[in-house]
Amino acid sequence: MKIAVAGGTGKTGRPVVDQLRDQGHQPVILARAHGVDLIQNTGIDTALDGVDAVIDVTDFATMNAKKARASFGGATANLLAGAQRNGVRHHVALSIIGIDRAPTGYYQGKLRQEEVVQAGPVPWTILRAAQFHEFAAQVLAQLPGPIALVPKMRSQPIAVSEVAAHLVDLATGEPQQMAPELAGPRVESVVDMARQLIRRRGEHRLVLPLRVPGAAGKAMAGGALLPTQPGPRGRQTYADWLAALTPEST
């Protein structure tokens, strides 16, 4: 199959492209570096010519709700319009578990993305997945220095490679609308994840748990980002992921 990957140069998109190639499919990368800009609505029709399905793993790094909703909503609408014009038969979007229960600005953008997909003209599947094992590293990178403020929250993290493989399986099948939630094998404290990563790196940083104020922070600390229904579960634990880190990747 010829399958386009929106955001195919990102941390999630690269493994998806690799999975497609490994399985004998023809990936088409939709990214600015490949002449496609979903926000500016350029290059989409040329890239989607002859494409059977789209996997959308685009990301817009903003915690501002207005900007997140505009970015995710606008890019998704442009992508779906192009998909309809080119006869794409299946649109698969990656989302996040619990975004309707933890109203952060970023999650409001992801909810807007879901709304546009659900109301769009292309048969669809939305996969809500848990945070990746790399999540703790992303949190630590936001505030470098001797003290790390890490939000109190629980997650059931999963390997990005396992998410990529699942997205490919969904894209090559029939549209499911809301697919069962995908998470890792174990529930983890993000504060503990950060401490374990710091030890694995051989660093000396003090981790201070931070309760994020407001309804979103209360929800995240209370487990709002955990799956609520049975569904597929990854095999690699966070401990397995840490053990496999090389000095270059830590």
Side-chain angles (χ1 to χ4, degrees), residues 16 44 56 101 127 143 154 174 178 196 226:
V16 172
I44 297 174
D56 184 4
R101 301 187 294 271
L127 173 66
L143 190 63
R154 290 188 294 155
E174 294 299 316
M178 294 302 297
Q196 292 173 52
L226 301 177

Side-chain angles (χ1 to χ4, degrees), residues 97-102 154 215-216 218-228:
I97 293 172
I99 57 174
D100 50 345
R101 301 187 294 271
R154 290 188 294 155
K218 183 178 180 181
M220 290 188 294
L225 302 182
L226 301 177
T228 58

Side-chain angles (χ1 to χ4, degrees), residues 46-119:
T46 299
L48 292 182
D49 183 29
V51 163
D52 301 294
V54 170
I55 299 174
D56 184 4
V57 292
T58 52
D59 193 23
F60 299 97
T62 176
M63 292 301 294
N64 180 281
K66 183 176 180 180
K67 290 180 179 178
R69 288 179 63 84
S71 297
F72 279 110
T76 303
N78 290 336
L79 179 57
L80 289 169
Q84 182 186 35
R85 289 192 297 269
N86 286 274
V88 173
R89 298 191 296 270
H90 190 185
H91 181 93
V92 178
L94 177 62
S95 192
I96 305 169
I97 293 172
I99 57 174
D100 50 345
R101 301 187 294 271
T104 69
Y106 179 79
Y107 289 169
Q108 289 183 48
K110 293 298 291 182
L111 277 174
R112 178 57 184 158
Q113 180 185 36
E114 290 188 1
E115 293 166 358
V116 174
V117 170
Q118 291 168 358

